[in-house]
Amino acid sequence: MLHFCNDYSEGAHPRVMRALADSNMESTAGYGCDPYCEAAREALKARFACPEADVHFLVGGTQTNLVAAAAFLRPWEAVIAAESGHVAVHETGAIEATGHKVFVVPGTDGKLSAEAVRRAVMEHRTGTEEHMVLPKLVYISDSTEFGTIYTRAELLALRAACDELGLWLYLDGARIGAALTAEGNDVAPEDFARLCDAFYFGGTKNALLFGEALVIVNETLKPFVRNVIKQRGGMLAKGRLLGVQFGAILQDDLWLETARHANAMAQRLAAGLAALGVPFFLASPTNQIFPVFPDAVVTALRDDVAFEFWAKPDERHTAIRFVCSWATDEAQVEALLACVKAHLSQV
């Protein structure tokens, strides 16, 4: 079986595993109050040029997003997200479970525009606001659920809209490495810290065993976040395990190397599929690609390849998602291309 379903099925990069093994028998304080977590916080703040930020380590993305919503929002405030946003589609109502509504608005290839944010806010500022849930937190992800990336101009426009309307801008960075190393990207790490009130630096989908780092830049949002993490069950007793991993992946920009490799393998796969005449649901420059196949080919591929169904562009074709990871190699890509070619020849 060829595995192209996601970018977190494998374990961790050998350097991360070695760091964990090397520190395994040490005894440190718990709950993220250890020297490894502190060093990783400093490394992360330096890399993203936000020396005054607060950094909190959590295990997974859904956990990080719900903690952010619970900590940043008042009970009557809500989240704005694109209709494809992870918090709206793939988190089992985790945000709503915190007591906060998620307003979904139309996106473009997974991206949320400043204009869409303005429309959502205006729909809820009618002069009778005390009767309505009020939008407050703008949720975006980079890269998006469609593997697309935000341009610097798009982030600047979102920042301007948030400033104009009194909103927080929060970025889900589960695949932040993929976004920063994608062809055509013009955003630098420090832009996320400068333009977002808070964001998270993803590790689970980029060569860690597990882990996300919530980075809070806006002073207003910093108080009592650890209380929320504890209350929501997100405070890992063996917090050192997160600090050790983040320290290892940040050293010498290993996180960019692993993300760049995942992107390169996906783009190699995309080029090979295009050469076979396979169309795509949309163009993606990152490690997620979305080819469209006849339904018969999709059915046949299920016996050989792990992938995710994505959309039905028409009655006879299906768009699926292939994802490459830090561990995907050229041999696996070529094997998948050979498998696709064989099945295409039979339809």
Side-chain angles (χ1 to χ4, degrees):
M1 178 69 72
L2 297 169
H3 294 275
F4 286 84
C5 190
N6 57 55
D7 41 11
Y8 49 85
S9 286
E10 296 89 0
H13 190 279
R15 281 170 52 181
V16 174
M17 293 299 294
R18 187 159 51 247
L20 285 167
D22 289 346
S23 62
N24 187 53
M25 296 305 295
E26 294 183 33
S27 180
T28 65
Y31 305 107
C33 299
D34 60 90
Y36 289 100
C37 285
E38 187 55 35
R41 288 188 188 97
E42 293 304 314
L44 190 60
K45 290 189 288 184
R47 190 64 184 86
F48 284 81
C50 49
E52 302 304 316
D54 280 0
V55 178
H56 303 277
F57 297 117
L58 295 107
V59 171
T62 298
Q63 185 183 73
T64 306
N65 289 333
L66 72 87
V67 162
F72 300 163
L73 299 178
R74 302 296 296 274
W76 54 87
E77 292 175 335
V79 177
I80 302 173
E83 57 195 353
S84 59
H86 206 269
V87 294
V89 180
H90 290 119
E91 295 188 350
T92 325
I95 300 300
E96 285 88 348
T98 69
H100 300 286
K101 186 178 180 67
V102 177
F103 294 125
V104 293
V105 299
T108 302
D109 294 340
K111 294 194 286 186
L112 187 63
S113 69
E115 291 72 22
V117 169
R118 288 191 176 91
R119 285 195 300 271
V121 171
M122 291 305 105
E123 289 173 0
H124 293 83
R125 292 186 179 176
T126 62
T128 58
E129 286 87 351
E130 67 273 18
H131 297 289
M132 305 183 76
V133 175
L134 300 180
K136 184 63 176 179
L137 183 71
V138 174
Y139 168 94
I140 60 175
S141 58
D142 202 21
S143 62
T144 70
E145 295 302 298
F146 288 94
T148 52
I149 60 174
Y150 282 89
T151 65
R152 188 168 178 274
E154 289 168 333
L155 291 178
L156 284 166
L158 283 165
R159 178 72 265 165
C162 288
D163 288 342
E164 171 192 333
L165 299 167
L167 308 175
W168 310 128
L169 182 58
Y170 171 72
L171 184 134
D172 177 327
R175 295 187 174 98
I176 199 170
L180 288 169
T181 55
E183 183 176 357
N185 172 61
D186 65 353
V187 177
E190 56 268 26
D191 289 326
F192 292 120
R194 186 170 65 86
L195 298 175
C196 298
D197 295 289
F199 65 95
Y200 86 75
F201 175 79
T204 302
K205 295 176 180 176
N206 191 21
L208 298 193
L209 287 178
F210 52 84
E212 324 297 329
L214 176 61
V215 182
I216 305 173
V217 182
N218 191 314
E219 290 292 327
T220 304
L221 302 180
K222 292 179 179 180
F224 304 111
V225 173
R226 277 180 63 84
N227 301 69
V228 175
I229 292 171
K230 182 66 176 181
Q231 186 186 66
R232 300 289 171 172
M235 190 167 287
L236 187 64
K238 296 184 180 182
R240 181 188 73 210
L241 300 179
L242 291 164
V244 169
Q245 291 186 80
F246 277 102
I249 203 73
L250 285 161
Q251 188 173 9
D252 300 324
D253 275 342
L254 177 59
W255 64 286
L256 292 177
E257 179 184 325
T258 52
R260 189 176 293 112
H261 173 81
N263 285 350
M265 292 298 98
Q267 296 310 306
R268 180 188 181 103
L269 176 58
L273 292 171
L276 294 174
V278 176
F280 290 84
F281 187 66
L282 79 167
S284 164
T286 59
N287 67 320
Q288 303 178 84
I289 62 170
F290 304 87
V292 178
F293 294 108
D295 289 345
V297 172
V298 173
T299 299
L301 281 172
R302 292 177 65 181
D303 293 333
D304 306 308
V305 185
F307 58 85
E308 186 172 331
F309 292 92
W310 201 255
K312 286 288 294 178
D314 59 54
E315 292 183 357
R316 295 186 298 172
H317 294 83
T318 298
I320 65 175
R321 185 184 74 162
F322 289 142
V323 187
C324 294
S325 78
W326 68 272
T328 306
D329 59 32
E330 293 180 2
Q332 291 169 315
V333 171
E334 293 305 316
L336 177 54
L337 288 171
C339 181
V340 169
K341 184 177 181 179
H343 289 305
L344 286 172
S345 69
Q346 297 174 16
V347 297

